[in-house]
Amino acid sequence: MREEPMSKSNSTQAERVDVLVVGAGFGGMYAVYKFREMGKKVVGIEAGSNVGGVWYWNRYPGARCDLMSVDYSYGFSPEIEQEWTWSEQFAAQPEILAYANFVADRLDLRKDFRFDTRVTSAIWDEEAKLWRATTDTGAVLEAPYAIMSTGPLSIPKDPDIPGIDRFKGELYRAQKWPHHDVDFAGKRVGVIGTGSTGIQIIQEVGRKAGELFVFQRTPSFTLPMRNREITPDYAAEMKKHYRQMRAAMKMNPTGGTRPVTSRPYFSLPPDQRIEAMEQAWINGGHTFLGTFADLMVNEEANEAVADFVRDKIGQIVEDPVAAEALKPRGYPIFARRPCLDTEYYETYNLPNVHLVDCKKDAIVEITEKGIRTESGETELDMLIFATGYDALTGALLAFDVVGRNGLRLKDKWKDGPVSHLGITMTGFPNLFATTGPNGPAALANIITISENDVDWIADLITHMEAKGLSAVEPTQETEDAWMTRVAELAAPSLIRKANTWWVGSNVKGKPTGLTMFVGGFAKYREACEAVAASGYEGYAFDRVSEPA
Ligand code: NAP
């Protein structure tokens, strides 16, 4: 470990460390652990008061992960796998947060984090070959390596509706839910937003509130989660097979254990297609995606599955007008993040739950007393926003990141994010992102990607230190070639055909486009490994000393 003296920079006392990590979600927690294990002096900065990232902030009623708990957990520590036991197939937020805290306790991670602290700028010092980060507490940190584990979903977005400040009732944002209990009993509650978050809130609050008014602009497709408890026998069996499972996850496009198929939809005769869809509906989860291989590239196949799900909605929802409004149309199924629910559609059969179809009766404004749509005012005691995020790039553009020759990240990304592997960027030496916007990011298991990315960065730093290299960045050709591959894979994908946070169209003025790597986690991991195996071909290094 290198112990550096405190240095003076810009007349502010700066603390010198080896590695700076931003974020205490699953990526940042693992990064802090990994670099500390390598003997580095590492400091993590986190805006929240504790670990957990998105699971620290998202405490809204019904919050739950739509990946299986055994998949959505760390694979780097066989000890933790054995010590921790999941209670449900799809864990709820309190259990996931408890898991993050368990890991933090077990590995003593908190001592290396500065909580309640936000980075306000990160600037590369070319002469000193280090990143200088300022924070809102006044602390300044300097480090040769900076790891941005800021997460794809960390900057909440309010709806673009006038009058938000006027509302005199209780106002809650799903993405920043308070730490105290919220009482819904007997209240008139309004929810804006029907993505994964809104769906989870609606199915929960609809059963607790006096009246629930759902202001729906775009309906989402949602599939039955079919969650269940994990029995002690099942947990014990799982624990025996963790190593094989983790190996299989590395080869899986989802970075999880969900089965994959090479079977195209039309390879089956019509009756068998229906049978397969019925089975996927019964099995629950994202099994449709493992039933047919071509749903994201074959519009006809996609539409057939969408029709199947629309029929199911019609069978469940008793009021035909509500059923029709809840049926998503005009975009491919799975082109928005597919939601998993527990009796979401059944919620609309409750007498206290009312659907306001904002496609036909648009929201005009928020008033002191509630929400005014074109047809009139709905008075509310409580209003909940489940209106999503400035995703993928929002957190990295929320502060000033300045690379070589004064290059600002917001200028580099003015037409959309570009990088190599989602991890490194030309012009930003020694700056690394985990689950960055040009990797699989939101399209695969974020914990698997985080571990892959941190390990890759750690190997690169080890390589540099062995060779006496001080700064690294991909060449422009390397970055361009990756972005060409990302674009070529994205071109046939139906994901481009929906307006979503995946393509940036949920934020006014944001450049739009599918910039994530849609080739799946396994191919992404192979690409990362190939770069390392080549001795980091396509990367430019600065030399400071003779090789170690
Ligand atoms: P989201 O998918 O972006 O949904 C935001 C919702 O707010 C949309 O229905 C949107 O409607 C609506 N909205 C925004 N502005 C509005 C306005 N002015 N008027 C009316 N409606 C408005 O955000 P999210 O639901 O928070 O989900 C984000 C991601 O988080 C998910 O895709 C998923 O990856 C993750 N997540 C996962 C889980 C899970 O694991 N189960 C749970 C929650 C979240 P429009 O579409 O019409 O704009």
Short mmCIF file of all heavy atoms in Angstrom, two decimals, residues 256-314:
data_model
loop_
_atom_site.label_atom_id
_atom_site.label_comp_id
_atom_site.label_asym_id
_atom_site.label_seq_id
_atom_site.Cartn_x
_atom_site.Cartn_y
_atom_site.Cartn_z
N GLY A 256 -27.59 -13.94 -15.46
CA GLY A 256 -28.32 -14.63 -14.41
C GLY A 256 -28.46 -16.08 -14.78
O GLY A 256 -27.73 -16.58 -15.66
N THR A 257 -29.43 -16.76 -14.15
CA THR A 257 -29.57 -18.19 -14.45
C THR A 257 -30.80 -18.49 -15.30
O THR A 257 -31.14 -19.65 -15.52
CB THR A 257 -29.67 -19.01 -13.14
OG1 THR A 257 -30.72 -18.47 -12.35
CG2 THR A 257 -28.38 -18.98 -12.36
N ARG A 258 -31.49 -17.42 -15.75
CA ARG A 258 -32.69 -17.70 -16.55
C ARG A 258 -32.33 -18.49 -17.80
O ARG A 258 -31.37 -18.13 -18.50
CB ARG A 258 -33.34 -16.36 -16.96
CG ARG A 258 -34.74 -16.54 -17.48
CD ARG A 258 -35.34 -15.24 -17.94
NE ARG A 258 -34.82 -14.84 -19.22
CZ ARG A 258 -34.60 -13.59 -19.57
NH1 ARG A 258 -34.85 -12.62 -18.72
NH2 ARG A 258 -34.13 -13.28 -20.76
N PRO A 259 -33.07 -19.57 -18.09
CA PRO A 259 -32.72 -20.37 -19.27
C PRO A 259 -32.82 -19.54 -20.55
O PRO A 259 -33.64 -18.63 -20.64
CB PRO A 259 -33.78 -21.48 -19.27
CG PRO A 259 -34.38 -21.47 -17.92
CD PRO A 259 -34.23 -20.09 -17.38
N VAL A 260 -31.98 -19.86 -21.50
CA VAL A 260 -32.07 -19.19 -22.81
C VAL A 260 -32.46 -20.22 -23.86
O VAL A 260 -32.37 -21.43 -23.62
CB VAL A 260 -30.73 -18.51 -23.20
CG1 VAL A 260 -30.48 -17.29 -22.35
CG2 VAL A 260 -29.57 -19.48 -23.10
N THR A 261 -32.90 -19.74 -24.98
CA THR A 261 -33.31 -20.65 -26.05
C THR A 261 -32.82 -20.13 -27.39
O THR A 261 -32.60 -18.92 -27.53
CB THR A 261 -34.85 -20.79 -26.08
OG1 THR A 261 -35.22 -21.66 -27.14
CG2 THR A 261 -35.53 -19.44 -26.33
N SER A 262 -32.66 -21.03 -28.34
CA SER A 262 -32.34 -20.56 -29.70
C SER A 262 -33.57 -20.75 -30.60
O SER A 262 -33.49 -20.58 -31.81
CB SER A 262 -31.14 -21.35 -30.24
OG SER A 262 -31.44 -22.72 -30.18
N ARG A 263 -34.71 -21.10 -29.99
CA ARG A 263 -35.91 -21.44 -30.76
C ARG A 263 -36.68 -20.18 -31.19
O ARG A 263 -37.20 -19.44 -30.36
CB ARG A 263 -36.80 -22.29 -29.86
CG ARG A 263 -38.11 -22.71 -30.46
CD ARG A 263 -38.86 -23.63 -29.54
NE ARG A 263 -39.44 -22.96 -28.39
CZ ARG A 263 -40.12 -23.57 -27.44
NH1 ARG A 263 -40.29 -24.88 -27.48
NH2 ARG A 263 -40.65 -22.90 -26.43
N PRO A 264 -36.81 -19.95 -32.50
CA PRO A 264 -37.60 -18.81 -32.94
C PRO A 264 -39.10 -19.09 -32.78
O PRO A 264 -39.53 -20.25 -32.80
CB PRO A 264 -37.26 -18.65 -34.43
CG PRO A 264 -36.18 -19.63 -34.73
CD PRO A 264 -36.18 -20.66 -33.65
N TYR A 265 -39.87 -18.03 -32.63
CA TYR A 265 -41.31 -18.15 -32.38
C TYR A 265 -42.00 -18.99 -33.46
O TYR A 265 -42.75 -19.92 -33.16
CB TYR A 265 -41.92 -16.74 -32.33
CG TYR A 265 -43.40 -16.74 -32.07
CD1 TYR A 265 -43.90 -16.85 -30.78
CD2 TYR A 265 -44.31 -16.62 -33.12
CE1 TYR A 265 -45.26 -16.86 -30.53
CE2 TYR A 265 -45.68 -16.62 -32.89
CZ TYR A 265 -46.15 -16.74 -31.59
OH TYR A 265 -47.49 -16.75 -31.37
N PHE A 266 -41.72 -18.69 -34.72
CA PHE A 266 -42.45 -19.35 -35.81
C PHE A 266 -41.89 -20.75 -36.14
O PHE A 266 -42.37 -21.40 -37.07
CB PHE A 266 -42.49 -18.46 -37.05
CG PHE A 266 -43.41 -17.28 -36.86
CD1 PHE A 266 -42.91 -16.00 -36.69
CD2 PHE A 266 -44.79 -17.46 -36.83
CE1 PHE A 266 -43.76 -14.92 -36.49
CE2 PHE A 266 -45.65 -16.38 -36.62
CZ PHE A 266 -45.13 -15.11 -36.44
N SER A 267 -40.93 -21.21 -35.38
CA SER A 267 -40.45 -22.58 -35.60
C SER A 267 -41.44 -23.59 -35.01
O SER A 267 -41.37 -24.78 -35.31
CB SER A 267 -39.07 -22.78 -34.97
OG SER A 267 -39.15 -22.70 -33.56
N LEU A 268 -42.36 -23.11 -34.19
CA LEU A 268 -43.36 -24.01 -33.60
C LEU A 268 -44.68 -23.89 -34.36
O LEU A 268 -45.04 -22.80 -34.82
CB LEU A 268 -43.64 -23.60 -32.15
CG LEU A 268 -42.56 -23.88 -31.09
CD1 LEU A 268 -43.08 -23.45 -29.72
CD2 LEU A 268 -42.18 -25.34 -31.07
N PRO A 269 -45.46 -24.98 -34.46
CA PRO A 269 -46.80 -24.86 -35.03
C PRO A 269 -47.68 -24.03 -34.09
O PRO A 269 -47.41 -23.96 -32.89
CB PRO A 269 -47.29 -26.30 -35.12
CG PRO A 269 -46.37 -27.12 -34.31
CD PRO A 269 -45.11 -26.35 -34.10
N PRO A 270 -48.76 -23.39 -34.64
CA PRO A 270 -49.56 -22.44 -33.86
C PRO A 270 -50.03 -22.97 -32.51
O PRO A 270 -49.94 -22.25 -31.51
CB PRO A 270 -50.75 -22.14 -34.77
CG PRO A 270 -50.22 -22.37 -36.14
CD PRO A 270 -49.20 -23.47 -36.03
N ASP A 271 -50.51 -24.21 -32.45
CA ASP A 271 -51.03 -24.68 -31.15
C ASP A 271 -49.91 -24.80 -30.11
O ASP A 271 -50.11 -24.51 -28.93
CB ASP A 271 -51.78 -26.01 -31.31
CG ASP A 271 -50.91 -27.08 -31.94
OD1 ASP A 271 -50.00 -26.72 -32.73
OD2 ASP A 271 -51.10 -28.27 -31.63
N GLN A 272 -48.72 -25.15 -30.57
CA GLN A 272 -47.60 -25.28 -29.62
C GLN A 272 -47.09 -23.90 -29.16
O GLN A 272 -46.56 -23.76 -28.06
CB GLN A 272 -46.47 -26.09 -30.23
CG GLN A 272 -46.81 -27.57 -30.29
CD GLN A 272 -45.68 -28.40 -30.87
OE1 GLN A 272 -44.51 -28.08 -30.72
NE2 GLN A 272 -46.04 -29.46 -31.57
N ARG A 273 -47.24 -22.90 -30.03
CA ARG A 273 -46.86 -21.53 -29.62
C ARG A 273 -47.75 -21.10 -28.46
O ARG A 273 -47.27 -20.57 -27.45
CB ARG A 273 -47.08 -20.53 -30.76
CG ARG A 273 -46.11 -20.65 -31.88
CD ARG A 273 -46.51 -19.68 -33.00
NE ARG A 273 -46.22 -20.28 -34.28
CZ ARG A 273 -46.86 -20.02 -35.41
NH1 ARG A 273 -47.88 -19.17 -35.43
NH2 ARG A 273 -46.52 -20.59 -36.53
N ILE A 274 -49.07 -21.35 -28.62
CA ILE A 274 -50.03 -20.95 -27.57
C ILE A 274 -49.69 -21.71 -26.28
O ILE A 274 -49.65 -21.12 -25.19
CB ILE A 274 -51.48 -21.29 -27.98
CG1 ILE A 274 -51.84 -20.57 -29.29
CG2 ILE A 274 -52.47 -20.96 -26.87
CD1 ILE A 274 -52.06 -19.07 -29.16
N GLU A 275 -49.43 -22.99 -26.44
CA GLU A 275 -49.12 -23.82 -25.27
C GLU A 275 -47.87 -23.29 -24.55
O GLU A 275 -47.82 -23.18 -23.32
CB GLU A 275 -48.86 -25.25 -25.75
CG GLU A 275 -49.12 -26.31 -24.71
CD GLU A 275 -48.82 -27.67 -25.32
OE1 GLU A 275 -49.42 -28.02 -26.36
OE2 GLU A 275 -47.93 -28.37 -24.78
N ALA A 276 -46.86 -22.92 -25.35
CA ALA A 276 -45.61 -22.41 -24.76
C ALA A 276 -45.86 -21.09 -24.03
O ALA A 276 -45.30 -20.83 -22.97
CB ALA A 276 -44.56 -22.22 -25.86
N MET A 277 -46.75 -20.25 -24.62
CA MET A 277 -47.04 -18.96 -23.97
C MET A 277 -47.84 -19.17 -22.68
O MET A 277 -47.58 -18.51 -21.68
CB MET A 277 -47.79 -18.03 -24.93
CG MET A 277 -46.88 -17.50 -26.03
SD MET A 277 -47.61 -16.17 -26.99
CE MET A 277 -48.68 -17.07 -28.08
N GLU A 278 -48.79 -20.11 -22.74
CA GLU A 278 -49.55 -20.41 -21.51
C GLU A 278 -48.59 -20.88 -20.42
O GLU A 278 -48.73 -20.49 -19.26
CB GLU A 278 -50.61 -21.50 -21.77
CG GLU A 278 -51.80 -21.04 -22.58
CD GLU A 278 -52.74 -20.08 -21.85
OE1 GLU A 278 -52.52 -19.79 -20.66
OE2 GLU A 278 -53.68 -19.57 -22.51
N GLN A 279 -47.65 -21.72 -20.81
CA GLN A 279 -46.69 -22.24 -19.83
C GLN A 279 -45.83 -21.11 -19.26
O GLN A 279 -45.58 -21.05 -18.06
CB GLN A 279 -45.82 -23.32 -20.48
CG GLN A 279 -45.09 -24.21 -19.49
CD GLN A 279 -46.04 -24.86 -18.46
OE1 GLN A 279 -47.00 -25.52 -18.83
NE2 GLN A 279 -45.79 -24.64 -17.17
N ALA A 280 -45.40 -20.19 -20.15
CA ALA A 280 -44.58 -19.06 -19.68
C ALA A 280 -45.39 -18.20 -18.72
O ALA A 280 -44.87 -17.71 -17.71
CB ALA A 280 -44.12 -18.22 -20.88
N TRP A 281 -46.68 -18.00 -19.02
CA TRP A 281 -47.56 -17.22 -18.14
C TRP A 281 -47.68 -17.89 -16.77
O TRP A 281 -47.61 -17.25 -15.73
CB TRP A 281 -48.93 -17.06 -18.81
CG TRP A 281 -49.88 -16.17 -18.05
CD1 TRP A 281 -50.84 -16.55 -17.17
CD2 TRP A 281 -49.94 -14.74 -18.11
NE1 TRP A 281 -51.51 -15.46 -16.68
CE2 TRP A 281 -50.99 -14.33 -17.24
CE3 TRP A 281 -49.23 -13.77 -18.82
CZ2 TRP A 281 -51.33 -12.98 -17.06
CZ3 TRP A 281 -49.58 -12.42 -18.64
CH2 TRP A 281 -50.61 -12.04 -17.77
N ILE A 282 -47.82 -19.21 -16.80
CA ILE A 282 -47.94 -19.96 -15.53
C ILE A 282 -46.61 -19.95 -14.77
O ILE A 282 -46.58 -19.75 -13.55
CB ILE A 282 -48.38 -21.43 -15.82
CG1 ILE A 282 -49.83 -21.45 -16.28
CG2 ILE A 282 -48.19 -22.33 -14.59
CD1 ILE A 282 -50.27 -22.75 -16.91
N ASN A 283 -45.51 -20.12 -15.49
CA ASN A 283 -44.21 -20.14 -14.81
C ASN A 283 -43.88 -18.79 -14.19
O ASN A 283 -43.21 -18.72 -13.16
CB ASN A 283 -43.09 -20.52 -15.78
CG ASN A 283 -43.17 -21.98 -16.18
OD1 ASN A 283 -43.90 -22.76 -15.57
ND2 ASN A 283 -42.46 -22.35 -17.23
N GLY A 284 -44.31 -17.72 -14.84
CA GLY A 284 -44.07 -16.38 -14.31
C GLY A 284 -42.65 -15.90 -14.55
O GLY A 284 -41.85 -16.56 -15.22
N GLY A 285 -42.35 -14.73 -14.00
CA GLY A 285 -41.04 -14.13 -14.23
C GLY A 285 -40.87 -13.74 -15.69
O GLY A 285 -41.85 -13.54 -16.42
N HIS A 286 -39.62 -13.70 -16.10
CA HIS A 286 -39.34 -13.29 -17.49
C HIS A 286 -39.24 -14.49 -18.42
O HIS A 286 -38.50 -14.47 -19.40
CB HIS A 286 -38.04 -12.49 -17.53
CG HIS A 286 -38.16 -11.14 -16.89
ND1 HIS A 286 -37.23 -10.64 -16.01
CD2 HIS A 286 -39.11 -10.18 -17.00
CE1 HIS A 286 -37.60 -9.44 -15.61
NE2 HIS A 286 -38.73 -9.13 -16.19
N THR A 287 -40.00 -15.56 -18.11
CA THR A 287 -39.78 -16.80 -18.87
C THR A 287 -40.15 -16.68 -20.36
O THR A 287 -39.65 -17.46 -21.16
CB THR A 287 -40.55 -18.00 -18.26
OG1 THR A 287 -41.79 -17.54 -17.78
CG2 THR A 287 -39.79 -18.64 -17.13
N PHE A 288 -40.99 -15.70 -20.71
CA PHE A 288 -41.29 -15.52 -22.15
C PHE A 288 -40.01 -15.32 -22.94
O PHE A 288 -39.83 -15.83 -24.03
CB PHE A 288 -42.17 -14.28 -22.36
CG PHE A 288 -43.62 -14.55 -22.18
CD1 PHE A 288 -44.25 -14.26 -20.98
CD2 PHE A 288 -44.37 -15.10 -23.20
CE1 PHE A 288 -45.59 -14.50 -20.80
CE2 PHE A 288 -45.72 -15.35 -23.03
CZ PHE A 288 -46.33 -15.05 -21.83
N LEU A 289 -39.10 -14.53 -22.33
CA LEU A 289 -37.86 -14.21 -23.03
C LEU A 289 -36.95 -15.43 -23.19
O LEU A 289 -36.09 -15.45 -24.06
CB LEU A 289 -37.12 -13.08 -22.29
CG LEU A 289 -37.79 -11.71 -22.43
CD1 LEU A 289 -37.27 -10.74 -21.37
CD2 LEU A 289 -37.57 -11.14 -23.83
N GLY A 290 -37.16 -16.43 -22.36
CA GLY A 290 -36.40 -17.67 -22.51
C GLY A 290 -37.19 -18.72 -23.26
O GLY A 290 -36.76 -19.87 -23.37
N THR A 291 -38.36 -18.35 -23.76
CA THR A 291 -39.21 -19.31 -24.48
C THR A 291 -39.01 -19.19 -25.99
O THR A 291 -39.03 -20.18 -26.71
CB THR A 291 -40.69 -19.06 -24.11
OG1 THR A 291 -40.81 -19.17 -22.70
CG2 THR A 291 -41.62 -20.06 -24.76
N PHE A 292 -38.85 -17.94 -26.44
CA PHE A 292 -38.62 -17.69 -27.87
C PHE A 292 -37.39 -16.79 -28.03
O PHE A 292 -37.24 -15.83 -27.28
CB PHE A 292 -39.84 -17.01 -28.51
CG PHE A 292 -41.12 -17.76 -28.28
CD1 PHE A 292 -42.09 -17.26 -27.43
CD2 PHE A 292 -41.36 -18.97 -28.93
CE1 PHE A 292 -43.28 -17.96 -27.21
CE2 PHE A 292 -42.54 -19.67 -28.72
CZ PHE A 292 -43.50 -19.17 -27.86
N ALA A 293 -36.58 -17.11 -29.03
CA ALA A 293 -35.29 -16.41 -29.15
C ALA A 293 -35.40 -15.07 -29.87
O ALA A 293 -34.55 -14.21 -29.71
CB ALA A 293 -34.30 -17.30 -29.89
N ASP A 294 -36.47 -14.89 -30.66
CA ASP A 294 -36.45 -13.76 -31.60
C ASP A 294 -37.42 -12.64 -31.25
O ASP A 294 -37.76 -11.81 -32.09
CB ASP A 294 -36.74 -14.28 -33.02
CG ASP A 294 -38.02 -15.11 -33.10
OD1 ASP A 294 -38.55 -15.48 -32.03
OD2 ASP A 294 -38.46 -15.40 -34.22
N LEU A 295 -37.88 -12.61 -30.00
CA LEU A 295 -38.93 -11.63 -29.66
C LEU A 295 -38.46 -10.18 -29.78
O LEU A 295 -39.28 -9.29 -29.96
CB LEU A 295 -39.44 -11.88 -28.23
CG LEU A 295 -40.15 -13.22 -28.01
CD1 LEU A 295 -40.69 -13.32 -26.60
CD2 LEU A 295 -41.26 -13.41 -29.04
N MET A 296 -37.16 -9.97 -29.67
CA MET A 296 -36.68 -8.58 -29.74
C MET A 296 -36.22 -8.17 -31.14
O MET A 296 -35.74 -7.05 -31.33
CB MET A 296 -35.54 -8.36 -28.73
CG MET A 296 -35.95 -8.49 -27.27
SD MET A 296 -37.55 -7.75 -26.89
CE MET A 296 -37.25 -6.04 -27.24
N VAL A 297 -36.35 -9.08 -32.11
CA VAL A 297 -35.95 -8.73 -33.47
C VAL A 297 -37.03 -9.04 -34.51
O VAL A 297 -36.99 -8.53 -35.64
CB VAL A 297 -34.62 -9.42 -33.90
CG1 VAL A 297 -33.43 -8.81 -33.18
CG2 VAL A 297 -34.67 -10.92 -33.66
N ASN A 298 -38.01 -9.86 -34.15
CA ASN A 298 -39.05 -10.24 -35.10
C ASN A 298 -40.38 -9.60 -34.68
O ASN A 298 -41.00 -10.01 -33.69
CB ASN A 298 -39.17 -11.77 -35.14
CG ASN A 298 -40.20 -12.23 -36.17
OD1 ASN A 298 -41.16 -11.52 -36.48
ND2 ASN A 298 -39.99 -13.43 -36.69
N GLU A 299 -40.79 -8.58 -35.44
CA GLU A 299 -41.97 -7.80 -35.04
C GLU A 299 -43.24 -8.63 -34.98
O GLU A 299 -44.08 -8.46 -34.10
CB GLU A 299 -42.16 -6.61 -35.98
CG GLU A 299 -41.57 -5.36 -35.36
CD GLU A 299 -41.64 -4.13 -36.24
OE1 GLU A 299 -40.81 -4.03 -37.17
OE2 GLU A 299 -42.52 -3.30 -35.98
N GLU A 300 -43.33 -9.57 -35.92
CA GLU A 300 -44.55 -10.39 -35.97
C GLU A 300 -44.64 -11.31 -34.75
O GLU A 300 -45.71 -11.47 -34.14
CB GLU A 300 -44.50 -11.24 -37.25
CG GLU A 300 -45.82 -11.30 -37.98
CD GLU A 300 -45.71 -12.20 -39.20
OE1 GLU A 300 -44.74 -12.05 -39.97
OE2 GLU A 300 -46.57 -13.08 -39.34
N ALA A 301 -43.50 -11.90 -34.41
CA ALA A 301 -43.46 -12.78 -33.22
C ALA A 301 -43.75 -11.95 -31.97
O ALA A 301 -44.52 -12.37 -31.09
CB ALA A 301 -42.09 -13.43 -33.10
N ASN A 302 -43.17 -10.78 -31.91
CA ASN A 302 -43.35 -9.90 -30.75
C ASN A 302 -44.82 -9.53 -30.60
O ASN A 302 -45.39 -9.58 -29.51
CB ASN A 302 -42.48 -8.64 -30.94
CG ASN A 302 -42.52 -7.74 -29.74
OD1 ASN A 302 -43.54 -7.11 -29.47
ND2 ASN A 302 -41.42 -7.68 -29.00
N GLU A 303 -45.45 -9.21 -31.74
CA GLU A 303 -46.86 -8.78 -31.71
C GLU A 303 -47.76 -9.95 -31.25
O GLU A 303 -48.75 -9.74 -30.54
CB GLU A 303 -47.27 -8.28 -33.11
CG GLU A 303 -48.65 -7.65 -33.21
CD GLU A 303 -48.86 -6.40 -32.34
OE1 GLU A 303 -47.88 -5.86 -31.79
OE2 GLU A 303 -50.03 -6.01 -32.19
N ALA A 304 -47.38 -11.17 -31.63
CA ALA A 304 -48.18 -12.33 -31.22
C ALA A 304 -48.12 -12.50 -29.70
O ALA A 304 -49.15 -12.77 -29.05
CB ALA A 304 -47.67 -13.59 -31.92
N VAL A 305 -46.96 -12.32 -29.12
CA VAL A 305 -46.84 -12.44 -27.67
C VAL A 305 -47.56 -11.26 -27.00
O VAL A 305 -48.25 -11.44 -25.98
CB VAL A 305 -45.35 -12.51 -27.24
CG1 VAL A 305 -45.22 -12.46 -25.72
CG2 VAL A 305 -44.71 -13.79 -27.77
N ALA A 306 -47.44 -10.08 -27.59
CA ALA A 306 -48.14 -8.90 -27.04
C ALA A 306 -49.65 -9.14 -27.05
O ALA A 306 -50.35 -8.85 -26.07
CB ALA A 306 -47.79 -7.66 -27.86
N ASP A 307 -50.16 -9.72 -28.13
CA ASP A 307 -51.60 -10.03 -28.21
C ASP A 307 -52.01 -11.01 -27.13
O ASP A 307 -53.08 -10.87 -26.52
CB ASP A 307 -51.93 -10.66 -29.58
CG ASP A 307 -52.26 -9.60 -30.62
OD1 ASP A 307 -52.59 -8.47 -30.21
OD2 ASP A 307 -52.17 -9.91 -31.83
N PHE A 308 -51.16 -12.02 -26.90
CA PHE A 308 -51.44 -13.02 -25.87
C PHE A 308 -51.59 -12.32 -24.51
O PHE A 308 -52.52 -12.59 -23.76
CB PHE A 308 -50.30 -14.05 -25.84
CG PHE A 308 -50.44 -15.06 -24.75
CD1 PHE A 308 -51.17 -16.23 -24.95
CD2 PHE A 308 -49.84 -14.87 -23.51
CE1 PHE A 308 -51.32 -17.17 -23.93
CE2 PHE A 308 -49.96 -15.80 -22.49
CZ PHE A 308 -50.70 -16.96 -22.70
N VAL A 309 -50.66 -11.41 -24.21
CA VAL A 309 -50.70 -10.73 -22.91
C VAL A 309 -51.91 -9.79 -22.84
O VAL A 309 -52.59 -9.70 -21.82
CB VAL A 309 -49.37 -9.99 -22.63
CG1 VAL A 309 -49.45 -9.19 -21.34
CG2 VAL A 309 -48.22 -11.00 -22.56
N ARG A 310 -52.21 -9.10 -23.96
CA ARG A 310 -53.39 -8.22 -23.97
C ARG A 310 -54.67 -9.03 -23.71
O ARG A 310 -55.56 -8.58 -22.99
CB ARG A 310 -53.48 -7.44 -25.30
CG ARG A 310 -52.50 -6.29 -25.38
CD ARG A 310 -52.77 -5.39 -26.58
NE ARG A 310 -52.29 -5.99 -27.82
CZ ARG A 310 -51.14 -5.67 -28.41
NH1 ARG A 310 -50.35 -4.75 -27.87
NH2 ARG A 310 -50.77 -6.25 -29.52
N ASP A 311 -54.73 -10.23 -24.28
CA ASP A 311 -55.90 -11.10 -24.01
C ASP A 311 -56.01 -11.41 -22.52
O ASP A 311 -57.10 -11.41 -21.95
CB ASP A 311 -55.78 -12.42 -24.79
CG ASP A 311 -56.19 -12.24 -26.24
OD1 ASP A 311 -56.68 -11.14 -26.57
OD2 ASP A 311 -55.98 -13.18 -27.03
N LYS A 312 -54.87 -11.70 -21.91
CA LYS A 312 -54.86 -12.01 -20.46
C LYS A 312 -55.40 -10.81 -19.67
O LYS A 312 -56.17 -10.98 -18.72
CB LYS A 312 -53.45 -12.36 -19.98
CG LYS A 312 -52.93 -13.68 -20.51
CD LYS A 312 -53.63 -14.86 -19.81
CE LYS A 312 -53.07 -16.20 -20.25
NZ LYS A 312 -53.95 -17.32 -19.95
N ILE A 313 -54.97 -9.60 -20.06
CA ILE A 313 -55.44 -8.40 -19.35
C ILE A 313 -56.96 -8.32 -19.45
O ILE A 313 -57.67 -8.08 -18.47
CB ILE A 313 -54.79 -7.10 -19.94
CG1 ILE A 313 -53.26 -7.16 -19.78
CG2 ILE A 313 -55.37 -5.85 -19.27
CD1 ILE A 313 -52.50 -6.07 -20.53
N GLY A 314 -57.46 -8.57 -20.68
CA GLY A 314 -58.92 -8.54 -20.90
C GLY A 314 -59.66 -9.58 -20.07
O GLY A 314 -60.79 -9.36 -19.63
#
